[in-house]
Amino acid sequence: MSALNDIPVDTLSFEAARDELVRVVAELEQGAPTLEQSLALWERGEALAARCEEWLLGAKRRLEAARAAAGDAETDGAS
């Protein structure tokens, strides 16, 4: 693999961050040529993992809000 992706992690979609994280892990498993490259890959991987977690937490909050809204609608209709 070549140099790290230059796209800022905080702009990536969940799918893009996940796909790049898979590539970073594969490259780390193969062994980067230098310690500096390994560290850069590790740091990018950490940032990508955090971005994925951010997306998943956001999705969880949206689901919880939708469930709460559905529960409120059911309660309002039962009165």
Side-chain angles (χ1 to χ4, degrees), residues 4-14 16-17 20 44 47-48 51 54-55:
L4 294 175
N5 193 330
D6 290 334
I7 298 172
V9 171
D10 64 346
T11 65
L12 295 174
S13 69
F14 172 79
E20 186 181 342
R44 180 74 176 186
L48 291 164
R51 179 65 174 163
E54 179 183 310
W55 271 106

Side-chain angles (χ1 to χ4, degrees), residues 57-73:
L57 289 173
K60 181 180 178 185
R61 284 192 288 274
R62 288 174 57 194
L63 284 172
E64 289 169 350
R67 285 182 180 154
D72 290 345

Side-chain angles (χ1 to χ4, degrees), residues 38-50:
S38 292
L39 289 172
L41 283 168
W42 180 269
E43 290 170 350
R44 180 74 176 186
E46 286 288 323
L48 291 164

